[in-house]
Amino acid sequence: MQHSRQRSELKAFLRARRAALAPEAVGLPRGVRRLTPGLRREEVAALAEVGVTWYTWLEQGRAINVSAAALARIARALRLDATDEAYLFSLAGLARAEPVRNHVVLPPTVQGVLDLYQAPAFVLDPVFDVLSCNAMAERLYQFDEFHGRFATNHLWNAFMNPARRRLYEPCFEPGMLNLLGIFRVNQAAHPDDPRFDALIDALVEASPDFVALWRRHHIAALSTWIAHFRHPEFGEVRVHSNRFPLRDADGIASGATAFFFVPEDVATAASFARIARHLQHSREVEPEPA
């Protein structure tokens, strides 16, 4: 059964994708009397070979029966890519390929993998709470420096932590759209996790920037992203942010994501090497516990 927020998002998502698709892109004439920015509902229905009334109800977020075949035809009619189509299916409440859990239990070896990695690496759960990180990521993001209800949440910090905003300053908008796109897919796949609603509601109330970007209904695949940061100690950092889905200790898809940064340029590689040497030196001079 769909939740009210899912139905609202389904309605907004379909409208946004319909408005973004020019009639010329699907072989239809624009005409001189067209008032809508993209396709009309009846045009989508005709392209998808579904009834206009049924499609209207779907776009209105009504609780109606939806088949995988009909939804696939709508995805093709709207020219959705694979990520958008998977998101549409999740919003419609169709069965997923395998179960997912709201509570993530990482295998104990994950921290060891992060610690061996000589660049920033960390793990986020589906709602983007930080589950684990290595010393380089802690140094870059200062995960422990922020306090409050959502202190450990990567998305909350991105919009509400002034230090984190300065870190993202070189490419804040595209970087946040990419992060929100992954987050939105996670939300659709975990409709029973109340933490999504709590975080979204809090950000809507606290951050106009979040509201403006969230309303774009952007979807992003879990793929490599080129990020640009500015940090007082690391300097100008350009990385390939590699993201990998993780399974929990029982081998079930957890929704957690591991982020591993790879330097994009020589300056970033040198910065990471310098910070790594500093961290190693700090560990070597630490006094033994009494």
Side-chain angles (χ1 to χ4, degrees):
M1 182 177 67
Q2 288 176 289
H3 294 243
S4 59
R5 188 182 288 274
Q6 276 188 294
R7 289 198 295 270
S8 297
E9 174 59 21
L10 176 63
K11 175 171 61 176
F13 181 71
L14 287 172
R15 286 179 175 176
R17 290 300 185 267
R18 177 166 61 84
L21 187 58
E24 295 88 348
V26 295
L28 296 175
R30 175 169 293 277
V32 296
R33 301 182 64 181
R34 181 178 294 272
L35 300 178
T36 56
L39 296 182
R40 301 184 179 101
R41 283 176 176 167
E42 57 267 27
E43 290 171 335
V44 174
L47 290 168
E49 299 178 352
V50 298
V52 176
T53 301
W54 182 88
Y55 178 76
T56 300
W57 287 350
L58 178 69
E59 194 175 280
Q60 290 174 345
R62 297 196 189 187
I64 59 175
N65 292 325
V66 181
S67 70
L71 208 60
R73 293 198 301 272
I74 290 169
R76 288 195 296 270
L78 292 173
R79 301 296 193 267
L80 302 185
D81 61 23
T83 302
D84 283 350
E85 183 173 345
Y87 180 62
L88 176 63
F89 269 64
S90 292
L91 290 177
L94 296 187
R96 293 181 287 274
E98 59 180 328
V100 295
R101 291 177 175 173
N102 292 339
H103 179 63
V104 179
V105 180
L106 292 178
T109 54
V110 168
Q111 185 62 53
V113 173
L114 299 181
D115 290 339
L116 288 172
Y117 192 65
Q118 295 298 300
F122 54 99
V123 177
L124 304 181
D125 76 356
V127 78
F128 282 4
D129 280 346
V130 179
L131 297 179
S132 187
C133 70
N134 64 6
M136 289 277 282
E138 172 60 41
R139 197 72 165 234
L140 179 67
Y141 285 106
Q142 298 178 309
F143 290 123
D144 292 336
E145 295 298 315
F146 201 58
H147 304 283
R149 180 184 177 190
F150 300 105
T152 63
N153 188 267
H154 200 56
L155 194 61
W156 177 267
N157 274 269
F159 285 94
M160 301 306 300
N161 182 343
R164 193 72 60 82
R165 285 294 299 264
R166 290 191 293 272
L167 178 70
Y168 293 138
E169 183 181 351
C171 57
F172 178 78
E173 183 172 311
M176 288 306 99
L177 275 175
N178 180 261
L179 204 62
L180 286 173
I182 298 172
F183 177 83
R184 190 183 286 275
V185 172
N186 287 353
Q187 180 203 11
H190 296 79
D192 297 317
D193 191 338
R195 297 177 302 159
F196 283 96
D197 285 354
L199 178 61
I200 292 168
D201 291 343
L203 281 168
V204 166
E205 184 175 348
S207 173
D209 287 338
F210 171 82
V211 173
L213 295 178
W214 185 249
R215 285 176 176 171
R216 296 192 191 182
H217 301 279
H218 181 71
I219 308 300
L222 197 62
S223 58
T224 301
W225 173 262
I226 297 177
H228 180 194
F229 304 131
R230 182 175 296 129
H231 190 273
E233 186 177 13
F234 284 78
E236 297 286 332
V237 172
R238 291 177 170 82
V239 299
H240 298 276
S241 176
N242 295 274
R243 295 84 174 263
F244 306 100
L246 296 182
R247 294 181 177 272
D248 66 16
D250 296 322
I252 294 177
S254 64
T257 303
F259 290 68
F260 287 87
F261 287 174
V262 176
E264 188 196 15
D265 55 25
V266 174
T268 299
S271 173
F272 285 174
R274 174 174 52 81
I275 300 299
R277 289 193 300 270
H278 181 77
L279 290 170
Q280 179 62 32
H281 176 73
S282 298
R283 286 191 291 267
E284 291 173 351
V285 300
E286 281 182 357
E288 292 291 331

